[in-house]
Amino acid sequence: AEETAVYVVYTDGSLKHATAGAGWHYSRTELGVPACRAEPVNRYTTILGCEQWAIAFALAELWRAVHGSEAAGGVHRGKRLVVFSDSQSALQILRRGHVARSRLAVEARIWQLLQRFAARDWQITFQYVPSHVGLAGNELADALA
């Protein structure tokens, strides 16, 4: 039996001195996903919002890579993705499930992307990881954010 590819991404958000950002780090890059990226976030958002945008940006980055590869003839169905976050609040919101009329654009974007991956039989798992305990992927995402 063919082994299912497992992709791992660490995400983190940051809000310091009126500067907000989101960072993420992928462990596998063969689909053309950049290993590391960071994006600014609206400085009026909350730290929770920064954490959520980090998840949304990371999912969007992988989706673009998968979609682009499929357009070029690749097949990327039935893969696995593990999203690590040090935000228990962001993960609790995701565990509550899709709220059809979420007032927050970031939550709607996350669910839109999750539905796209589900349509291609991807299994996505969200996992809490404690911050600042020396895990390389999480420390890198933190530094990027």
Side-chain angles (χ1 to χ4, degrees), residues 61-81:
E61 191 81 57
L62 181 59
W63 175 253
R64 280 191 294 275
V66 167
H67 188 67
S69 177
E70 287 181 347
V75 177
H76 302 291
R77 293 187 163 279
K79 309 284 188 202
R80 291 187 55 218
L81 171 64

Side-chain angles (χ1 to χ4, degrees), residues 16-109:
K16 296 177 187 168
H17 312 294
T19 301
W24 59 97
H25 165 66
Y26 271 98
S27 62
R28 298 175 71 143
T29 60
E30 66 268 15
L31 286 177
V33 178
C36 303
R37 285 278 310 264
E39 290 285 336
V41 176
N42 182 316
R43 69 184 184 111
Y44 296 108
T45 193
T46 62
I47 186 60
L48 172 59
C50 292
E51 299 280 1
Q52 290 175 305
W53 277 114
I55 292 169
F57 288 145
L59 290 172
E61 191 81 57
L62 181 59
W63 175 253
R64 280 191 294 275
V66 167
H67 188 67
S69 177
E70 287 181 347
V75 177
H76 302 291
R77 293 187 163 279
K79 309 284 188 202
R80 291 187 55 218
L81 171 64
V82 181
V83 179
F84 287 98
S85 173
D86 61 11
S87 173
Q88 291 186 31
S89 297
L91 296 176
Q92 285 172 354
I93 289 168
L94 285 169
R95 275 194 285 277
R96 288 185 198 145
H98 179 18
V99 178
R101 297 187 181 261
S102 174
R103 294 183 198 168
L104 297 176
V106 65
E107 290 175 18
R109 180 69 173 140

Side-chain angles (χ1 to χ4, degrees), residues 125-141:
T125 305
F126 291 91
Q127 179 67 48
Y128 172 73
V129 59
S131 59
H132 309 295
V133 294
L135 296 172
N138 194 54
E139 294 298 331
L140 183 53

